[in-house]
Amino acid sequence: MSRADPFTFSQTHHLIEQRLWKNNPAIKKIFTSVDDIPSANLSTVEHQALTNAWRLEFPYSNQIGHVAQPTFEEIIAAASRVYANHPQLFNAVLSFL
């Protein structure tokens, strides 16, 4: 049995994490369904790296520094940092706002 190549484009990455969408009424007005959030197909490695970057910005509920309901402005500011090396992804976020 062979293992999947972690660099193949196999995972859909929501450009704004679903957990942030769930806790922000302003973003829920823009994206009425989680399926409306812009996304990109990424390799497993890229997807994990960006997920980790979001986690640093907004730790999970069981982690120190957790913010229960980040503001719209905090989420957009975080997106600019998360996607600093991926301007096309950040521009995709902005194009929907």
mmCIF file with all atom_site columns, all heavy atoms in Angstrom, residues 69-91:
data_model
loop_
_atom_site.group_PDB
_atom_site.id
_atom_site.type_symbol
_atom_site.label_atom_id
_atom_site.label_alt_id
_atom_site.label_comp_id
_atom_site.label_asym_id
_atom_site.label_entity_id
_atom_site.label_seq_id
_atom_site.pdbx_PDB_ins_code
_atom_site.Cartn_x
_atom_site.Cartn_y
_atom_site.Cartn_z
_atom_site.occupancy
_atom_site.B_iso_or_equiv
_atom_site.pdbx_formal_charge
_atom_site.auth_seq_id
_atom_site.auth_comp_id
_atom_site.auth_asym_id
_atom_site.auth_atom_id
_atom_site.pdbx_PDB_model_num
ATOM 1   N N   . GLN A 1 69 ? -15.281 35.282 20.064 1.00 0.00 ? 69 GLN A N   1
ATOM 2   C CA  . GLN A 1 69 ? -15.948 35.913 18.932 1.00 0.00 ? 69 GLN A CA  1
ATOM 3   C C   . GLN A 1 69 ? -15.085 37.039 18.372 1.00 0.00 ? 69 GLN A C   1
ATOM 4   O O   . GLN A 1 69 ? -15.295 38.216 18.675 1.00 0.00 ? 69 GLN A O   1
ATOM 5   C CB  . GLN A 1 69 ? -17.309 36.457 19.344 1.00 0.00 ? 69 GLN A CB  1
ATOM 6   C CG  . GLN A 1 69 ? -18.314 35.360 19.628 1.00 0.00 ? 69 GLN A CG  1
ATOM 7   C CD  . GLN A 1 69 ? -19.698 35.914 19.845 1.00 0.00 ? 69 GLN A CD  1
ATOM 8   O OE1 . GLN A 1 69 ? -19.892 36.820 20.633 1.00 0.00 ? 69 GLN A OE1 1
ATOM 9   N NE2 . GLN A 1 69 ? -20.657 35.362 19.139 1.00 0.00 ? 69 GLN A NE2 1
ATOM 10  N N   . PRO A 1 70 ? -14.111 36.687 17.540 1.00 0.00 ? 70 PRO A N   1
ATOM 11  C CA  . PRO A 1 70 ? -13.277 37.737 16.957 1.00 0.00 ? 70 PRO A CA  1
ATOM 12  C C   . PRO A 1 70 ? -14.122 38.652 16.073 1.00 0.00 ? 70 PRO A C   1
ATOM 13  O O   . PRO A 1 70 ? -15.091 38.220 15.460 1.00 0.00 ? 70 PRO A O   1
ATOM 14  C CB  . PRO A 1 70 ? -12.242 36.974 16.143 1.00 0.00 ? 70 PRO A CB  1
ATOM 15  C CG  . PRO A 1 70 ? -12.841 35.631 15.908 1.00 0.00 ? 70 PRO A CG  1
ATOM 16  C CD  . PRO A 1 70 ? -13.767 35.370 17.041 1.00 0.00 ? 70 PRO A CD  1
ATOM 17  N N   . THR A 1 71 ? -13.746 39.915 16.030 1.00 0.00 ? 71 THR A N   1
ATOM 18  C CA  . THR A 1 71 ? -14.476 40.878 15.209 1.00 0.00 ? 71 THR A CA  1
ATOM 19  C C   . THR A 1 71 ? -14.140 40.678 13.737 1.00 0.00 ? 71 THR A C   1
ATOM 20  O O   . THR A 1 71 ? -13.131 40.044 13.383 1.00 0.00 ? 71 THR A O   1
ATOM 21  C CB  . THR A 1 71 ? -14.125 42.325 15.598 1.00 0.00 ? 71 THR A CB  1
ATOM 22  O OG1 . THR A 1 71 ? -12.745 42.565 15.261 1.00 0.00 ? 71 THR A OG1 1
ATOM 23  C CG2 . THR A 1 71 ? -14.360 42.585 17.080 1.00 0.00 ? 71 THR A CG2 1
ATOM 24  N N   . PHE A 1 72 ? -14.967 41.246 12.892 1.00 0.00 ? 72 PHE A N   1
ATOM 25  C CA  . PHE A 1 72 ? -14.735 41.228 11.451 1.00 0.00 ? 72 PHE A CA  1
ATOM 26  C C   . PHE A 1 72 ? -13.350 41.808 11.151 1.00 0.00 ? 72 PHE A C   1
ATOM 27  O O   . PHE A 1 72 ? -12.573 41.234 10.390 1.00 0.00 ? 72 PHE A O   1
ATOM 28  C CB  . PHE A 1 72 ? -15.838 42.052 10.764 1.00 0.00 ? 72 PHE A CB  1
ATOM 29  C CG  . PHE A 1 72 ? -15.667 42.161 9.286  1.00 0.00 ? 72 PHE A CG  1
ATOM 30  C CD1 . PHE A 1 72 ? -16.088 41.135 8.451  1.00 0.00 ? 72 PHE A CD1 1
ATOM 31  C CD2 . PHE A 1 72 ? -15.105 43.294 8.721  1.00 0.00 ? 72 PHE A CD2 1
ATOM 32  C CE1 . PHE A 1 72 ? -15.940 41.241 7.078  1.00 0.00 ? 72 PHE A CE1 1
ATOM 33  C CE2 . PHE A 1 72 ? -14.955 43.410 7.357  1.00 0.00 ? 72 PHE A CE2 1
ATOM 34  C CZ  . PHE A 1 72 ? -15.381 42.381 6.531  1.00 0.00 ? 72 PHE A CZ  1
ATOM 35  N N   . GLU A 1 73 ? -13.042 42.935 11.779 1.00 0.00 ? 73 GLU A N   1
ATOM 36  C CA  . GLU A 1 73 ? -11.759 43.606 11.549 1.00 0.00 ? 73 GLU A CA  1
ATOM 37  C C   . GLU A 1 73 ? -10.584 42.735 11.983 1.00 0.00 ? 73 GLU A C   1
ATOM 38  O O   . GLU A 1 73 ? -9.549  42.694 11.315 1.00 0.00 ? 73 GLU A O   1
ATOM 39  C CB  . GLU A 1 73 ? -11.728 44.958 12.272 1.00 0.00 ? 73 GLU A CB  1
ATOM 40  C CG  . GLU A 1 73 ? -12.668 45.993 11.709 1.00 0.00 ? 73 GLU A CG  1
ATOM 41  C CD  . GLU A 1 73 ? -14.137 45.796 12.137 1.00 0.00 ? 73 GLU A CD  1
ATOM 42  O OE1 . GLU A 1 73 ? -14.412 45.003 13.082 1.00 0.00 ? 73 GLU A OE1 1
ATOM 43  O OE2 . GLU A 1 73 ? -15.011 46.418 11.507 1.00 0.00 ? 73 GLU A OE2 1
ATOM 44  N N   . GLU A 1 74 ? -10.739 42.039 13.123 1.00 0.00 ? 74 GLU A N   1
ATOM 45  C CA  . GLU A 1 74 ? -9.667  41.150 13.592 1.00 0.00 ? 74 GLU A CA  1
ATOM 46  C C   . GLU A 1 74 ? -9.444  39.999 12.620 1.00 0.00 ? 74 GLU A C   1
ATOM 47  O O   . GLU A 1 74 ? -8.300  39.605 12.363 1.00 0.00 ? 74 GLU A O   1
ATOM 48  C CB  . GLU A 1 74 ? -10.011 40.592 14.975 1.00 0.00 ? 74 GLU A CB  1
ATOM 49  C CG  . GLU A 1 74 ? -9.941  41.618 16.082 1.00 0.00 ? 74 GLU A CG  1
ATOM 50  C CD  . GLU A 1 74 ? -10.484 41.102 17.403 1.00 0.00 ? 74 GLU A CD  1
ATOM 51  O OE1 . GLU A 1 74 ? -11.432 40.281 17.393 1.00 0.00 ? 74 GLU A OE1 1
ATOM 52  O OE2 . GLU A 1 74 ? -9.949  41.520 18.448 1.00 0.00 ? 74 GLU A OE2 1
ATOM 53  N N   . ILE A 1 75 ? -10.520 39.479 12.072 1.00 0.00 ? 75 ILE A N   1
ATOM 54  C CA  . ILE A 1 75 ? -10.407 38.362 11.128 1.00 0.00 ? 75 ILE A CA  1
ATOM 55  C C   . ILE A 1 75 ? -9.723  38.812 9.837  1.00 0.00 ? 75 ILE A C   1
ATOM 56  O O   . ILE A 1 75 ? -8.832  38.118 9.324  1.00 0.00 ? 75 ILE A O   1
ATOM 57  C CB  . ILE A 1 75 ? -11.786 37.742 10.856 1.00 0.00 ? 75 ILE A CB  1
ATOM 58  C CG1 . ILE A 1 75 ? -12.296 37.041 12.129 1.00 0.00 ? 75 ILE A CG1 1
ATOM 59  C CG2 . ILE A 1 75 ? -11.724 36.754 9.683  1.00 0.00 ? 75 ILE A CG2 1
ATOM 60  C CD1 . ILE A 1 75 ? -13.740 36.596 12.061 1.00 0.00 ? 75 ILE A CD1 1
ATOM 61  N N   . ILE A 1 76 ? -10.092 39.973 9.311  1.00 0.00 ? 76 ILE A N   1
ATOM 62  C CA  . ILE A 1 76 ? -9.468  40.472 8.074  1.00 0.00 ? 76 ILE A CA  1
ATOM 63  C C   . ILE A 1 76 ? -7.995  40.804 8.307  1.00 0.00 ? 76 ILE A C   1
ATOM 64  O O   . ILE A 1 76 ? -7.139  40.492 7.470  1.00 0.00 ? 76 ILE A O   1
ATOM 65  C CB  . ILE A 1 76 ? -10.241 41.685 7.517  1.00 0.00 ? 76 ILE A CB  1
ATOM 66  C CG1 . ILE A 1 76 ? -11.683 41.283 7.195  1.00 0.00 ? 76 ILE A CG1 1
ATOM 67  C CG2 . ILE A 1 76 ? -9.542  42.272 6.293  1.00 0.00 ? 76 ILE A CG2 1
ATOM 68  C CD1 . ILE A 1 76 ? -11.831 40.044 6.329  1.00 0.00 ? 76 ILE A CD1 1
ATOM 69  N N   . ALA A 1 77 ? -7.692  41.405 9.446  1.00 0.00 ? 77 ALA A N   1
ATOM 70  C CA  . ALA A 1 77 ? -6.286  41.698 9.772  1.00 0.00 ? 77 ALA A CA  1
ATOM 71  C C   . ALA A 1 77 ? -5.486  40.402 9.874  1.00 0.00 ? 77 ALA A C   1
ATOM 72  O O   . ALA A 1 77 ? -4.352  40.324 9.382  1.00 0.00 ? 77 ALA A O   1
ATOM 73  C CB  . ALA A 1 77 ? -6.201  42.505 11.065 1.00 0.00 ? 77 ALA A CB  1
ATOM 74  N N   . ALA A 1 78 ? -6.076  39.388 10.496 1.00 0.00 ? 78 ALA A N   1
ATOM 75  C CA  . ALA A 1 78 ? -5.395  38.091 10.596 1.00 0.00 ? 78 ALA A CA  1
ATOM 76  C C   . ALA A 1 78 ? -5.200  37.479 9.222  1.00 0.00 ? 78 ALA A C   1
ATOM 77  O O   . ALA A 1 78 ? -4.142  36.921 8.932  1.00 0.00 ? 78 ALA A O   1
ATOM 78  C CB  . ALA A 1 78 ? -6.191  37.156 11.504 1.00 0.00 ? 78 ALA A CB  1
ATOM 79  N N   . ALA A 1 79 ? -6.213  37.579 8.368  1.00 0.00 ? 79 ALA A N   1
ATOM 80  C CA  . ALA A 1 79 ? -6.102  37.031 7.011  1.00 0.00 ? 79 ALA A CA  1
ATOM 81  C C   . ALA A 1 79 ? -4.939  37.681 6.266  1.00 0.00 ? 79 ALA A C   1
ATOM 82  O O   . ALA A 1 79 ? -4.208  37.006 5.534  1.00 0.00 ? 79 ALA A O   1
ATOM 83  C CB  . ALA A 1 79 ? -7.400  37.223 6.243  1.00 0.00 ? 79 ALA A CB  1
ATOM 84  N N   . SER A 1 80 ? -4.739  38.976 6.470  1.00 0.00 ? 80 SER A N   1
ATOM 85  C CA  . SER A 1 80 ? -3.621  39.647 5.784  1.00 0.00 ? 80 SER A CA  1
ATOM 86  C C   . SER A 1 80 ? -2.282  39.089 6.241  1.00 0.00 ? 80 SER A C   1
ATOM 87  O O   . SER A 1 80 ? -1.340  39.000 5.450  1.00 0.00 ? 80 SER A O   1
ATOM 88  C CB  . SER A 1 80 ? -3.682  41.161 5.990  1.00 0.00 ? 80 SER A CB  1
ATOM 89  O OG  . SER A 1 80 ? -3.318  41.512 7.310  1.00 0.00 ? 80 SER A OG  1
ATOM 90  N N   . ARG A 1 81 ? -2.207  38.672 7.502  1.00 0.00 ? 81 ARG A N   1
ATOM 91  C CA  . ARG A 1 81 ? -0.962  38.074 8.007  1.00 0.00 ? 81 ARG A CA  1
ATOM 92  C C   . ARG A 1 81 ? -0.837  36.609 7.576  1.00 0.00 ? 81 ARG A C   1
ATOM 93  O O   . ARG A 1 81 ? 0.233   36.171 7.161  1.00 0.00 ? 81 ARG A O   1
ATOM 94  C CB  . ARG A 1 81 ? -0.898  38.204 9.530  1.00 0.00 ? 81 ARG A CB  1
ATOM 95  C CG  . ARG A 1 81 ? -0.762  39.651 10.005 1.00 0.00 ? 81 ARG A CG  1
ATOM 96  C CD  . ARG A 1 81 ? -0.567  39.742 11.508 1.00 0.00 ? 81 ARG A CD  1
ATOM 97  N NE  . ARG A 1 81 ? -1.728  39.308 12.269 1.00 0.00 ? 81 ARG A NE  1
ATOM 98  C CZ  . ARG A 1 81 ? -2.752  40.088 12.632 1.00 0.00 ? 81 ARG A CZ  1
ATOM 99  N NH1 . ARG A 1 81 ? -2.775  41.357 12.260 1.00 0.00 ? 81 ARG A NH1 1
ATOM 100 N NH2 . ARG A 1 81 ? -3.754  39.594 13.352 1.00 0.00 ? 81 ARG A NH2 1
ATOM 101 N N   . VAL A 1 82 ? -1.924  35.867 7.680  1.00 0.00 ? 82 VAL A N   1
ATOM 102 C CA  . VAL A 1 82 ? -1.898  34.442 7.301  1.00 0.00 ? 82 VAL A CA  1
ATOM 103 C C   . VAL A 1 82 ? -1.498  34.285 5.843  1.00 0.00 ? 82 VAL A C   1
ATOM 104 O O   . VAL A 1 82 ? -0.719  33.402 5.480  1.00 0.00 ? 82 VAL A O   1
ATOM 105 C CB  . VAL A 1 82 ? -3.267  33.781 7.568  1.00 0.00 ? 82 VAL A CB  1
ATOM 106 C CG1 . VAL A 1 82 ? -3.367  32.409 6.925  1.00 0.00 ? 82 VAL A CG1 1
ATOM 107 C CG2 . VAL A 1 82 ? -3.536  33.692 9.073  1.00 0.00 ? 82 VAL A CG2 1
ATOM 108 N N   . TYR A 1 83 ? -2.028  35.166 4.989  1.00 0.00 ? 83 TYR A N   1
ATOM 109 C CA  . TYR A 1 83 ? -1.772  35.060 3.544  1.00 0.00 ? 83 TYR A CA  1
ATOM 110 C C   . TYR A 1 83 ? -0.722  36.059 3.051  1.00 0.00 ? 83 TYR A C   1
ATOM 111 O O   . TYR A 1 83 ? -0.669  36.362 1.864  1.00 0.00 ? 83 TYR A O   1
ATOM 112 C CB  . TYR A 1 83 ? -3.085  35.235 2.780  1.00 0.00 ? 83 TYR A CB  1
ATOM 113 C CG  . TYR A 1 83 ? -4.115  34.201 3.170  1.00 0.00 ? 83 TYR A CG  1
ATOM 114 C CD1 . TYR A 1 83 ? -5.346  34.566 3.691  1.00 0.00 ? 83 TYR A CD1 1
ATOM 115 C CD2 . TYR A 1 83 ? -3.839  32.839 3.042  1.00 0.00 ? 83 TYR A CD2 1
ATOM 116 C CE1 . TYR A 1 83 ? -6.290  33.610 4.066  1.00 0.00 ? 83 TYR A CE1 1
ATOM 117 C CE2 . TYR A 1 83 ? -4.761  31.877 3.424  1.00 0.00 ? 83 TYR A CE2 1
ATOM 118 C CZ  . TYR A 1 83 ? -5.980  32.271 3.932  1.00 0.00 ? 83 TYR A CZ  1
ATOM 119 O OH  . TYR A 1 83 ? -6.891  31.323 4.308  1.00 0.00 ? 83 TYR A OH  1
ATOM 120 N N   . ALA A 1 84 ? 0.138   36.529 3.950  1.00 0.00 ? 84 ALA A N   1
ATOM 121 C CA  . ALA A 1 84 ? 1.169   37.502 3.573  1.00 0.00 ? 84 ALA A CA  1
ATOM 122 C C   . ALA A 1 84 ? 2.049   36.987 2.437  1.00 0.00 ? 84 ALA A C   1
ATOM 123 O O   . ALA A 1 84 ? 2.453   37.766 1.570  1.00 0.00 ? 84 ALA A O   1
ATOM 124 C CB  . ALA A 1 84 ? 2.029   37.864 4.786  1.00 0.00 ? 84 ALA A CB  1
ATOM 125 N N   . ASN A 1 85 ? 2.321   35.701 2.419  1.00 0.00 ? 85 ASN A N   1
ATOM 126 C CA  . ASN A 1 85 ? 3.145   35.111 1.359  1.00 0.00 ? 85 ASN A CA  1
ATOM 127 C C   . ASN A 1 85 ? 2.311   34.538 0.218  1.00 0.00 ? 85 ASN A C   1
ATOM 128 O O   . ASN A 1 85 ? 2.851   33.896 -0.679 1.00 0.00 ? 85 ASN A O   1
ATOM 129 C CB  . ASN A 1 85 ? 4.056   34.019 1.929  1.00 0.00 ? 85 ASN A CB  1
ATOM 130 C CG  . ASN A 1 85 ? 5.080   34.591 2.881  1.00 0.00 ? 85 ASN A CG  1
ATOM 131 O OD1 . ASN A 1 85 ? 5.582   35.690 2.681  1.00 0.00 ? 85 ASN A OD1 1
ATOM 132 N ND2 . ASN A 1 85 ? 5.377   33.857 3.932  1.00 0.00 ? 85 ASN A ND2 1
ATOM 133 N N   . HIS A 1 86 ? 1.006   34.757 0.291  1.00 0.00 ? 86 HIS A N   1
ATOM 134 C CA  . HIS A 1 86 ? 0.072   34.254 -0.727 1.00 0.00 ? 86 HIS A CA  1
ATOM 135 C C   . HIS A 1 86 ? -0.917  35.377 -1.077 1.00 0.00 ? 86 HIS A C   1
ATOM 136 O O   . HIS A 1 86 ? -2.111  35.270 -0.783 1.00 0.00 ? 86 HIS A O   1
ATOM 137 C CB  . HIS A 1 86 ? -0.690  33.032 -0.214 1.00 0.00 ? 86 HIS A CB  1
ATOM 138 C CG  . HIS A 1 86 ? 0.196   31.931 0.258  1.00 0.00 ? 86 HIS A CG  1
ATOM 139 N ND1 . HIS A 1 86 ? 0.792   31.043 -0.601 1.00 0.00 ? 86 HIS A ND1 1
ATOM 140 C CD2 . HIS A 1 86 ? 0.599   31.576 1.507  1.00 0.00 ? 86 HIS A CD2 1
ATOM 141 C CE1 . HIS A 1 86 ? 1.521   30.194 0.097  1.00 0.00 ? 86 HIS A CE1 1
ATOM 142 N NE2 . HIS A 1 86 ? 1.418   30.500 1.372  1.00 0.00 ? 86 HIS A NE2 1
ATOM 143 N N   . PRO A 1 87 ? -0.430  36.461 -1.678 1.00 0.00 ? 87 PRO A N   1
ATOM 144 C CA  . PRO A 1 87 ? -1.313  37.613 -1.924 1.00 0.00 ? 87 PRO A CA  1
ATOM 145 C C   . PRO A 1 87 ? -2.539  37.276 -2.764 1.00 0.00 ? 87 PRO A C   1
ATOM 146 O O   . PRO A 1 87 ? -3.593  37.880 -2.585 1.00 0.00 ? 87 PRO A O   1
ATOM 147 C CB  . PRO A 1 87 ? -0.412  38.632 -2.623 1.00 0.00 ? 87 PRO A CB  1
ATOM 148 C CG  . PRO A 1 87 ? 0.778   37.861 -3.090 1.00 0.00 ? 87 PRO A CG  1
ATOM 149 C CD  . PRO A 1 87 ? 0.910   36.676 -2.186 1.00 0.00 ? 87 PRO A CD  1
ATOM 150 N N   . GLN A 1 88 ? -2.436  36.285 -3.636 1.00 0.00 ? 88 GLN A N   1
ATOM 151 C CA  . GLN A 1 88 ? -3.587  35.913 -4.448 1.00 0.00 ? 88 GLN A CA  1
ATOM 152 C C   . GLN A 1 88 ? -4.710  35.366 -3.574 1.00 0.00 ? 88 GLN A C   1
ATOM 153 O O   . GLN A 1 88 ? -5.890  35.589 -3.859 1.00 0.00 ? 88 GLN A O   1
ATOM 154 C CB  . GLN A 1 88 ? -3.207  34.933 -5.578 1.00 0.00 ? 88 GLN A CB  1
ATOM 155 C CG  . GLN A 1 88 ? -2.882  33.525 -5.134 1.00 0.00 ? 88 GLN A CG  1
ATOM 156 C CD  . GLN A 1 88 ? -1.497  33.311 -4.543 1.00 0.00 ? 88 GLN A CD  1
ATOM 157 O OE1 . GLN A 1 88 ? -0.783  34.237 -4.172 1.00 0.00 ? 88 GLN A OE1 1
ATOM 158 N NE2 . GLN A 1 88 ? -1.099  32.047 -4.423 1.00 0.00 ? 88 GLN A NE2 1
ATOM 159 N N   . LEU A 1 89 ? -4.362  34.679 -2.500 1.00 0.00 ? 89 LEU A N   1
ATOM 160 C CA  . LEU A 1 89 ? -5.382  34.155 -1.585 1.00 0.00 ? 89 LEU A CA  1
ATOM 161 C C   . LEU A 1 89 ? -6.008  35.281 -0.777 1.00 0.00 ? 89 LEU A C   1
ATOM 162 O O   . LEU A 1 89 ? -7.221  35.331 -0.593 1.00 0.00 ? 89 LEU A O   1
ATOM 163 C CB  . LEU A 1 89 ? -4.804  33.083 -0.673 1.00 0.00 ? 89 LEU A CB  1
ATOM 164 C CG  . LEU A 1 89 ? -4.278  31.830 -1.365 1.00 0.00 ? 89 LEU A CG  1
ATOM 165 C CD1 . LEU A 1 89 ? -3.724  30.841 -0.341 1.00 0.00 ? 89 LEU A CD1 1
ATOM 166 C CD2 . LEU A 1 89 ? -5.348  31.173 -2.226 1.00 0.00 ? 89 LEU A CD2 1
ATOM 167 N N   . PHE A 1 90 ? -5.185  36.214 -0.305 1.00 0.00 ? 90 PHE A N   1
ATOM 168 C CA  . PHE A 1 90 ? -5.730  37.348 0.442  1.00 0.00 ? 90 PHE A CA  1
ATOM 169 C C   . PHE A 1 90 ? -6.617  38.204 -0.466 1.00 0.00 ? 90 PHE A C   1
ATOM 170 O O   . PHE A 1 90 ? -7.699  38.639 -0.063 1.00 0.00 ? 90 PHE A O   1
ATOM 171 C CB  . PHE A 1 90 ? -4.624  38.190 1.066  1.00 0.00 ? 90 PHE A CB  1
ATOM 172 C CG  . PHE A 1 90 ? -5.152  39.332 1.890  1.00 0.00 ? 90 PHE A CG  1
ATOM 173 C CD1 . PHE A 1 90 ? -5.931  39.074 3.014  1.00 0.00 ? 90 PHE A CD1 1
ATOM 174 C CD2 . PHE A 1 90 ? -4.881  40.635 1.546  1.00 0.00 ? 90 PHE A CD2 1
ATOM 175 C CE1 . PHE A 1 90 ? -6.422  40.129 3.785  1.00 0.00 ? 90 PHE A CE1 1
ATOM 176 C CE2 . PHE A 1 90 ? -5.379  41.684 2.305  1.00 0.00 ? 90 PHE A CE2 1
ATOM 177 C CZ  . PHE A 1 90 ? -6.156  41.435 3.420  1.00 0.00 ? 90 PHE A CZ  1
ATOM 178 N N   . ASN A 1 91 ? -6.194  38.413 -1.692 1.00 0.00 ? 91 ASN A N   1
ATOM 179 C CA  . ASN A 1 91 ? -7.006  39.190 -2.635 1.00 0.00 ? 91 ASN A CA  1
ATOM 180 C C   . ASN A 1 91 ? -8.335  38.483 -2.923 1.00 0.00 ? 91 ASN A C   1
ATOM 181 O O   . ASN A 1 91 ? -9.358  39.149 -3.113 1.00 0.00 ? 91 ASN A O   1
ATOM 182 C CB  . ASN A 1 91 ? -6.241  39.439 -3.929 1.00 0.00 ? 91 ASN A CB  1
ATOM 183 C CG  . ASN A 1 91 ? -5.108  40.434 -3.730 1.00 0.00 ? 91 ASN A CG  1
ATOM 184 O OD1 . ASN A 1 91 ? -5.140  41.251 -2.829 1.00 0.00 ? 91 ASN A OD1 1
ATOM 185 N ND2 . ASN A 1 91 ? -4.098  40.352 -4.575 1.00 0.00 ? 91 ASN A ND2 1
#
